[in-house]
Every structure is written in C-alpha cells, then in structure tokens.
Amino acid sequence: MKTSQRAFSLLESSGYKVTSQRQIILEIILNNREKHMSAEEIHEKANKSNADIGLATVYRALELFEELKIIHKMNFGDGRSRYELWEEEHHHHHLICTSCHEVYEVAEDLLDVLEHKIENKYKFKISGHQLKFYGVCYNCKEDKKDES
C-alpha cells in the first residue's frame, strides 16, 4: 500500500478526517523525504500551496501523524524537532553538520552485529536504535578552505 494511502487509512480508521490541510502537510513530508523538515519549514512550503494553513495547524497535524505512527519526530540538537516518515524495520542513522545544520541519512545499518551482541550478552531485546554523528559536512569544510 502506498504511504499516503496507508496514512489516510490510518486517519480514517482512527476516527479522523482527511482534511485538505492534512493532505497538503503529508504530501510535503512525502515529497521531501530526505530533508528531515521542521514544522516551520513544512509550514513555509504549505503556505505556497494554501495560504490558509497556519503554523498551529501544522503542529497539530504533525502531532496527530506522530501519534498514529505515520511520522517520527527527531531532535538533532539544534533546538527544532524534525520529522520523517515512520517506517517499520528501517534503521538508519544521521550525520548532522554542526555548521549549517544539514542532516544527512546513512541508509545502511552498520549496527546489526553490535545489536545482536548486546542482546545476547545482556539478555535484552532491542526494539530499535538511533545513532547520530555530529561534525562538519563536505560543503562547509570546503567553504572554510576557501576562506583561508
């Protein structure tokens, strides 16, 4: 089932309406999967589609989407929550540039072996994990070279 169809089915089966505002907000998230957008960034894009969508509406929709496990809220230490689609069995990690605050996904899960070792050693069933690396991205590093 397509992600948007799954999300709209979840909304309806939970007793919520699929409003045009919720559709626009979800489409923005779907069309910007790689960007890990904040509520403010989503609001800015939503206003280009529909000027009637307020920031409070975006926050309420995001809260509902998170509650229904349509999206996942993340914090990368820059004071803003960011959102990505909820995907079962999809572990990935993030690289966060401390200069420009860009967030990059590392799609391959390099921690499978470590997870199994931890589960065996501590008799602990791991249900998920998050890993964030902080540093300076290639573009910012190159910009600093140019300033020298």
Side-chain angles (χ1 to χ4, degrees):
M1 181 183 288
K2 194 173 155 185
T3 305
S4 59
Q5 291 171 327
R6 182 184 83 70
F8 297 142
S9 292
L10 271 170
L11 281 166
E12 289 173 339
S13 67
S14 300
Y16 296 100
K17 292 180 181 176
V18 179
T19 64
S20 61
Q21 291 97 335
R22 289 177 181 155
Q23 286 179 324
I24 290 168
I25 293 165
L26 183 61
E27 289 301 321
I28 290 168
I29 295 167
L30 287 169
N31 293 332
N32 294 278
R33 290 174 191 241
E34 72 288 348
K35 292 192 179 172
H36 302 86
M37 298 173 71
S38 68
E40 293 79 7
E41 290 167 327
I42 293 167
H43 177 250
E44 186 178 309
K45 286 193 178 285
N47 273 331
K48 291 177 182 171
S49 299
N50 183 336
D52 293 337
I53 298 177
L55 184 56
T57 301
V58 172
Y59 274 110
R60 282 192 301 273
L62 293 173
E63 189 175 298
L64 176 61
F65 293 166
E66 184 182 14
E67 180 184 316
L68 297 176
K69 293 191 172 152
I70 295 169
I71 61 170
H72 177 68
K73 180 165 68 170
M74 297 166 297
N75 184 335
F76 294 120
D78 63 353
R80 296 189 304 174
S81 294
R82 296 175 187 263
Y83 302 87
E84 70 179 359
L85 289 172
W86 181 277
E87 296 184 47
E88 293 288 335
E89 301 300 318
H90 174 68
H91 294 287
H92 62 272
H93 311 294
H94 297 97
L95 308 175
I96 300 107
C97 180
T98 55
S99 182
C100 68
H101 304 288
E102 189 69 36
V103 177
Y104 303 90
E105 278 191 14
V106 177
E108 56 193 305
D109 190 355
L110 307 172
L111 296 180
D112 283 340
V113 172
L114 179 60
E115 251 188 41
H116 292 296
K117 283 183 178 181
I118 291 170
E119 285 183 333
N120 291 332
K121 181 175 182 176
Y122 296 99
K123 309 294 184 236
F124 186 86
K125 179 63 182 153
I126 296 172
S127 59
H129 64 264
Q130 291 183 11
L131 182 62
K132 302 171 196 168
F133 291 97
Y134 296 90
V136 179
C137 71
Y138 177 81
N139 291 331
C140 291
K141 195 166 68 175
E142 288 299 306
D143 287 347
K144 289 193 192 287
K145 273 187 189 177
D146 292 342
E147 291 173 3
S148 303

